[in-house]
Amino acid sequence: MTAKLDMDKLTQEVKALARLHGAVLVGVASIDRFDPMPPFHDKAPGGRHPRDYVPNARSVISIAQPVLNAVMEAPAALADTDYAMIAPDIKYAYLEKLYDTGGHAVQDRMLEYISQHVGQRLQMDGFDAMIFPTPGMHPAMDPPAPPLTEHQMWEGPSDTWRRAHNPFGYALGAFSHRHAATRAGLGEFGYSSVVLTPEFGPRQRFNSIITEAELVPDPLITEPICLRDNCLLCLKACPMFALTMRDDPDVKDYRSVESVDRNEIFIDTPAKVHAPSCRHRKDRTGGSPHRCFYGDCIRICPVPSKPARLSQRLQQVMSP
Ligand code: SF4
Ligand code: SF4
């Protein structure tokens, strides 16, 4: 009884600490939830299971902060507006930067800061804890090797290397915060391959803390959040055709499956994202009819409610 009470108390204290420092969603996953689970039975890639970082890991804490609706909508909404004092040829880069700061960098740093608060509290209680960068990593190579460009970090240093090692142009963060979020009961994957929560749909960023502490796990999501085939807007919104379902017979890679059971909760992603195509959205020139503003697949999602402001391009995608 005492051990159970201690577990409850520590769980509540750790969650309260995360919230005190700015986490809006906090959930706990028990370590067994990182075993392959239905419907896809995906396995953590080598070096990215919680126990690769903390050998005696018993829990993973998932934390999230929302991207504010106006921050999400502003770049796309302003795309069709004359933007005074900004030269036309830098307008799109300017608007992407606007979103990248308020919708990415702020949450990235704050979630890392919250993780450190939680991690140091757990360590002072005698439990090892591991924290992570929020986004994927693109380390610069020190000389004498030439530095890799961002492009090369995603796609590999050369065509030969790419053909041999990374034909799908796929890159990973140090740990999948999205998979931790679904296992901590915060949400499920949508067709966009982004995790949707009941509170914010796809509009939040996640981070995770792995710990030896045995905390009380939160219940998994039991009702679908993604609207599935009744919606499909994220797939239609991508001008780069970077998103496909895992059962798309025209696009085969190691994530392909025969069929996706649409009735199951998506603990793992039901979709595939071709990362190089998504990155190449920046190379597109011309006005908003041709451009994705870094996240149009998220911007258009009608969960939990229809977005208030969209570019003309996205309005056309939404119209029946
Ligand atoms: S961010 Fe844009 S280009 Fe990338 S997958 Fe989403 S809609 Fe497509
Ligand atoms: S846009 Fe529609 S299909 Fe895509 S994730 Fe959102 S609810 Fe699911």
Side-chain angles (χ1 to χ4, degrees), residues 59-260:
S59 309
V60 178
I61 304 157
S62 176
I63 55 177
Q65 286 191 326
V67 175
L68 303 180
N69 289 337
V71 171
M72 178 61 73
E73 290 166 8
L78 286 167
D80 305 314
T81 305
D82 275 342
Y83 209 43
M85 295 182 287
I86 301 297
D89 55 346
I90 65 158
K91 177 178 169 184
Y92 289 94
Y94 195 90
L95 291 172
E96 276 217 3
K97 182 71 181 168
L98 181 70
Y99 171 64
D100 196 32
T101 303
H104 220 306
V106 167
Q107 294 84 357
D108 289 353
R109 295 294 86 80
M110 286 188 74
L111 289 167
E112 289 159 8
Y113 164 93
I114 298 163
S115 298
Q116 172 65 16
H117 273 284
V118 171
Q120 66 196 18
R121 160 67 208 268
L122 288 162
Q123 184 169 297
M124 286 172 72
D125 278 354
F127 302 108
D128 269 356
M130 176 72 193
I131 65 169
F132 295 96
T134 307
M137 295 193 298
H138 308 284
M141 304 286 283
D142 285 334
L148 297 183
T149 62
E150 185 187 27
H151 185 87
Q152 289 168 326
M153 283 304 304
W154 280 89
E155 299 190 29
S158 67
D159 284 348
T160 313
W161 185 95
R162 189 157 44 248
R163 274 195 294 275
H165 301 291
N166 191 18
F168 309 116
Y170 190 54
L172 290 164
F175 182 69
S176 174
H177 304 311
R178 290 178 297 158
H179 286 79
T182 61
R183 283 152 176 79
L186 295 185
E188 72 156 349
F189 278 93
Y191 279 13
S192 52
S193 199
V194 172
V195 169
L196 275 57
T197 64
E199 294 85 354
F200 305 115
R203 299 173 195 86
Q204 65 257 293
R205 306 256 172 240
F206 296 102
N207 203 322
S208 332
I209 305 110
I210 302 170
T211 178
E212 290 180 328
E214 188 171 1
L215 303 174
V216 181
D218 286 290
L220 294 169
I221 292 285
T222 52
E223 294 295 324
I225 303 172
C226 172
L227 304 176
R228 292 165 163 74
D229 289 6
N230 294 326
C231 174
L232 300 174
L233 284 171
C234 51
L235 302 177
K236 292 179 188 164
C238 182
M240 307 303 292
F241 306 103
L243 291 170
T244 46
M245 295 300 289
R246 288 176 68 155
D247 57 0
D248 185 335
D250 296 331
V251 184
K252 291 277 181 204
D253 74 15
Y254 66 97
R255 293 163 290 186
S256 297
V257 293
E258 285 296 311
S259 64
V260 171

Side-chain angles (χ1 to χ4, degrees), residues 192 234 237-243 273-275 277-281 291-298 313:
S192 52
C234 51
C238 182
M240 307 303 292
F241 306 103
L243 291 170
V273 183
H274 190 249
S277 300
C278 176
R279 304 294 293 178
H280 283 306
R281 74 185 181 278
R291 292 286 303 249
C292 161
F293 277 97
Y294 194 178
D296 276 0
C297 47
I298 296 172
R313 184 181 88 79

